[in-house]
Amino acid sequence: MSTRQWCGLEVVAPEDVFIGLGGDLGQRDLVKLGDAAVGNWHGPPQIRLDELRTHVCNRPFVPQRSHLIKALDLVRLTVDSPPETNLRMWTIAVGLPEPVVHPKIYSSLLNRTVEPDLGYPDDLLALEYEGEHHLRSKQQWQSDIRRDEALRAEGWTVIHVTSKVNYQQLEAQIRHHLGLS
């Protein structure tokens, strides 16, 4: 088992954590772990996705290697939080097309690119997961409002998702917008 330095502490290397926990985690949690390792959740990525895949595929005696590889196929770069991963994995589980993580949309209103959490660019539909910190932070709240206004000005529909969402209604709403109902 290898270690790395993180914040001045010696910690287990991300590939060893991923491989070590792989047999004990279900697919969704393993994807969340992978998203966290290759994403920007609390600082820069801990490992590149291709590097993580190489460790899983080439290391001898990896228990449940196929389970790990299936999860890696669903790991995405730039995911910001576990709820985003959960929402994306839920869309796949209910048979919806997988949304794009942080699609880049140029906003003429803001004169810059905005990136909703998840989106269906061909259908101009954005999914925004709103945790409680979005309400508690006035700065975050204002930023969210500006982003939503910018998306709507470009013709996008924005659906807000919280921990209290009714997933049946959400699925119906997404299916309707995508023309799948």
Side-chain angles (χ1 to χ4, degrees):
M1 189 170 296
S2 57
T3 60
R4 297 196 180 161
Q5 291 290 317
W6 182 74
C7 295
L9 300 171
E10 200 160 311
V11 296
V12 176
E15 63 272 18
D16 290 328
V17 172
F18 190 80
I19 291 169
L21 292 176
D24 296 325
L25 296 178
Q27 186 180 54
R28 185 176 293 198
D29 287 334
L30 197 51
V31 172
K32 281 193 283 192
L33 182 61
D35 281 354
V38 304
N40 301 311
W41 291 11
H42 297 288
Q46 300 298 306
I47 190 169
R48 292 188 331 269
L49 181 55
D50 62 331
E51 184 183 357
L52 182 56
R53 185 178 299 279
T54 298
H55 283 285
V56 169
C57 292
N58 297 341
R59 182 179 291 179
F61 311 113
V62 172
Q64 298 191 29
R65 188 186 315 266
S66 62
H67 174 62
L68 291 149
I69 291 170
K70 285 178 185 174
L72 283 172
D73 289 343
L74 292 167
V75 169
R76 301 292 179 260
L77 305 175
T78 74
V79 177
D80 286 338
S81 68
E84 283 182 27
T85 299
N86 281 336
L87 182 57
R88 181 171 55 87
M89 296 301 293
W90 168 82
T91 64
I92 295 167
V94 297
L96 290 166
E98 181 180 352
V100 174
V101 175
H102 295 284
K104 294 176 181 356
I105 299 112
Y106 179 76
S107 164
S108 54
L109 187 66
L110 298 176
N111 194 30
R112 66 175 174 85
T113 299
V114 295
E115 299 179 23
D117 293 336
L118 301 168
Y120 295 96
D122 293 342
D123 298 287
L124 304 179
L125 176 63
L127 304 177
E128 281 292 339
Y129 187 86
E130 307 291 357
E132 288 184 27
H133 72 280
H134 289 260
L135 296 174
R136 287 192 216 130
S137 165
K138 288 183 181 184
Q139 183 179 355
Q140 182 66 56
W141 193 20
Q142 289 302 313
S143 174
D144 291 346
I145 290 170
R146 283 192 303 276
R147 180 206 55 228
D148 289 0
E149 289 171 348
L151 286 167
R152 288 187 181 101
E154 298 302 322
W156 283 66
T157 298
V158 180
I159 297 176
H160 292 271
V161 181
T162 69
S163 63
K164 304 293 185 195
V165 69
N166 178 319
Y167 280 97
Q168 287 182 320
Q169 287 178 351
L170 177 61
E171 180 181 354
Q173 199 175 5
I174 294 170
R175 285 188 182 283
H176 176 77
H177 192 88
L178 299 179
L180 300 173
S181 49

